[in-house]
């Protein structure tokens, strides 16, 4: 009776060994052309003296062709080993179950581990964390707002813009409304360069202090329209003609009023060296510098001023950038001559 059981067990084990080996080789071929793998439960049934026992191989799922090959070859090798190993274990049939399970489990675990490692190697490296762009202007460093009135005037405005572009600086151009159409390309270039366009009345004929509220509003409005049409948006700051302000002007302009702390008198001297020293000898953090982009001498002065201020560590900013960096919230009708960090 015992020999009969042994004979049945031998037949079964040999049969299962052959079957699993054949299936595994077939599976390798099949999986080579397939990106998914599912090694389904492999059941081994064995009858021994104590009755019927089930051994179920673990199910393995992998996602890539590389994984599937590794796992398939792992399973096929294990099946072969099982087949060979059974002959030496037949004398202790109770070990068959443990041995078979061990073969499958170890092989599957090994294959999964290898596949996991290779998958990790194959994965592209994690993207570099985005480097935060430096804040500009840096509030901890000095800055100055160069401003140019009475333009635009292509031959001079463009030279100043060229120098600003070269040094990555910004400036503010308080334009006269009726000149905007003629030099629209200069206005557009200024905007492109990160510069600000301010409102300097439409025809620059009279100081605003000599006009009525309606006349003041028309001067501001018409310039807003011209700038918005050619540059994309209306100015948010005003510089009155000659900086002249009274209560009527303050209430009529409807925007913050920007005057200056350094007057280069470039219109008077028309001398580049004089303009240059007016700026470089007096400049301090938060200054607003008055110039006019009408004179060749002013453009010549800027060829020195812009590089020198940059070299000294000044950030060349627009008026609005200066206000923001200094934490100043500009109010309509208020006059600003400089913008420095508020005390307290
Ligand atoms: Zn002016």
């Amino acid at each position: 009776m015992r020999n009969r059981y042994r004979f049945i067990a031998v037949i079964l084990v040999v049969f299962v060994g052959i079957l699993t080996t054949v299936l595994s080789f077939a599976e390798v071929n099949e999986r080579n052309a397939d990106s998914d793998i599912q090694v389904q439960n492999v059941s081994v049934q064995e009858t021994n003296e104590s009755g019927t026992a089930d051994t179920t191989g673990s199910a393995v799922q992998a996602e890539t062709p590389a994984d599937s090959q590794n796992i398939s070859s792992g399973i096929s090798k294990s099946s072969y080993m099982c087949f060979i190993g059974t002959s030496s274990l037949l004398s202790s049939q109770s070990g068959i179950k443990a041995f078979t399970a061990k073969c499958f489990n170890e092989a599957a675990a090994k294959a999964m581990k290898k596949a996991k490692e290779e998958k990790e190697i194959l994965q592209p490296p994690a993207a570099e964390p985005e480097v935060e762009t430096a804040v500009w202007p840096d509030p901890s460093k000095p800055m100055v707002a160069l401003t140019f009135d009475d333009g635009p005037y292509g031959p001079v405005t463009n030279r100043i813009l060229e120098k600003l572009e070269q040094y990555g600086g910004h400036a503010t151009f308080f334009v006269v409304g009726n000149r905007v159409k003629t030099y629209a390309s200069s206005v557009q270039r200024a905007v492109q360069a990160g510069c600000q366009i301010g409102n300097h009345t439409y025809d620059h004929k009279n100081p605003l202090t000599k006009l009525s509220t309606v006349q003041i509003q028309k001067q501001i409005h018409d310039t807003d329209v011209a700038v918005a049409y050619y540059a994309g948006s209306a100015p948010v700051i005003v510089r009155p003609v000659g900086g002249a302000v009274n209560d009527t002007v303050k209430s009529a302009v409807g925007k913050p009023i920007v005057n200056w702390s350094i007057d280069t008198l470039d219109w008077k001297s028309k001398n580049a060296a004089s303009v240059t020293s007016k700026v470089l000898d007096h400049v301090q953090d938060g200054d607003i510098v008055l110039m006019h982009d009408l004179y060749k001498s002013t453009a010549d002065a800027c060829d020195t001023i812009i590089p020198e201020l940059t070299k000294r560590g000044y950030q060349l900013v627009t008026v609005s950038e200066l206000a923001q960096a200094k934490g100043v919230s500009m109010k309509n009708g208020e006059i600003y001559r400089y913008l420095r960090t508020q005390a307290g």
Side-chain angles (χ1 to χ4, degrees):
M1 199 63 181
R2 186 179 174 87
N3 285 339
R4 193 177 163 196
Y5 279 131
R6 178 173 291 200
F7 177 72
I8 291 168
V10 169
I11 294 299
L12 275 172
V13 168
V14 168
F15 175 73
V16 167
I18 291 167
L19 185 65
T20 338
T21 307
V22 168
L23 283 176
S24 297
F25 278 116
E27 196 170 28
V28 170
N29 292 333
E30 187 184 331
R31 294 304 182 198
N32 280 343
D34 194 349
S35 63
D36 283 325
I37 177 170
Q38 287 189 328
V39 179
Q40 295 294 354
N41 295 342
V42 181
S43 297
V44 177
Q45 287 197 340
E46 183 58 46
T47 308
N48 59 21
E49 287 171 339
S50 60
T52 303
D54 267 17
T55 298
T56 305
S58 57
V60 181
Q61 285 193 330
E63 289 170 6
T64 66
D67 294 342
S68 69
Q69 284 185 26
N70 291 332
I71 292 169
S72 293
S73 59
I75 296 294
S76 119
K77 193 179 166 192
S78 75
S79 305
Y80 176 71
M81 284 175 69
C82 283
F83 176 62
I84 299 298
T86 43
S87 60
S88 64
L89 278 170
L90 285 176
S91 56
S92 65
Q93 287 161 27
S94 61
I96 290 174
K97 174 185 166 188
F99 176 77
T100 312
K102 196 166 179 285
C103 279
F104 276 101
N105 290 339
E106 275 186 1
K110 205 172 168 185
M112 281 177 79
K113 193 183 168 203
K114 195 179 171 191
K116 192 175 171 236
E117 284 168 0
E118 291 201 0
K119 196 176 171 188
E120 279 168 3
I121 292 166
L122 286 171
Q123 272 179 349
E128 289 282 320
E130 265 190 42
V131 180
E132 221 172 279
T133 315
V135 178
W136 192 93
D138 181 346
S140 68
K141 291 177 181 163
M143 58 193 88
V144 59
L146 301 179
T147 69
F148 300 90
D149 290 7
D150 298 359
Y153 174 51
V156 173
T157 311
N158 290 341
R159 272 192 60 194
I160 295 166
L161 286 172
E162 196 175 318
K163 201 49 87 175
L164 287 167
E165 288 161 356
Q166 193 182 336
Y167 284 85
H170 297 168
T172 303
F173 294 86
F174 287 99
V175 299
V176 173
N178 67 11
R179 302 175 68 91
V180 169
K181 185 181 175 185
T182 307
Y183 299 107
S185 63
S186 294
V187 177
Q188 287 157 358
R189 182 176 171 180
V191 172
Q192 286 277 315
C195 293
Q196 184 172 13
I197 308 299
N199 188 319
H200 194 44
T201 76
Y202 190 75
D203 57 27
H204 203 276
K205 271 184 184 161
N206 297 294
L208 294 180
T209 47
K210 297 198 170 169
L211 302 180
S212 68
T213 296
V214 172
Q215 287 171 319
I216 294 168
Q217 286 173 336
K218 184 166 170 50
Q219 287 286 320
I220 302 303
H221 173 265
D222 290 354
T223 303
D224 280 354
V225 170
V227 174
Y229 185 81
Y230 290 104
S233 61
V236 296
I237 50 176
V238 165
R239 175 166 289 160
V241 174
V245 179
N246 60 15
D247 287 344
T248 309
V249 174
K250 282 185 184 176
S251 62
V253 293
K255 302 177 196 288
I257 296 164
V258 178
N259 281 343
W260 53 86
S261 52
I262 292 182
D263 188 351
T264 61
L265 297 172
D266 59 338
W267 60 274
K268 200 172 176 183
S269 72
K270 296 197 180 79
N271 180 291
S274 168
V275 172
T276 301
S277 68
K278 290 267 188 199
V279 178
L280 297 181
D281 296 350
H282 302 98
V283 68
Q284 47 178 307
D285 182 31
D287 269 335
I288 297 173
V289 179
L290 172 63
M291 290 184 271
H292 299 79
D293 51 337
L294 290 182
Y295 314 107
K296 180 182 174 292
S297 51
T298 299
D300 292 341
C302 285
D303 283 347
T304 306
I305 290 167
I306 291 168
E308 178 61 22
L309 286 176
T310 306
K311 191 178 151 197
R312 291 187 193 179
Y314 278 93
Q315 300 166 98
L316 304 181
V317 295
T318 67
V319 170
S320 287
E321 285 169 343
L322 181 59
Q324 192 177 0
K326 299 299 182 185
V328 177
S329 177
M330 300 178 84
K331 295 181 178 64
N332 295 346
E334 288 277 323
I335 304 168
Y336 300 90
R337 296 185 180 84
Y338 49 81
L339 289 153
R340 310 198 207 280
T341 305
Q342 303 294 287

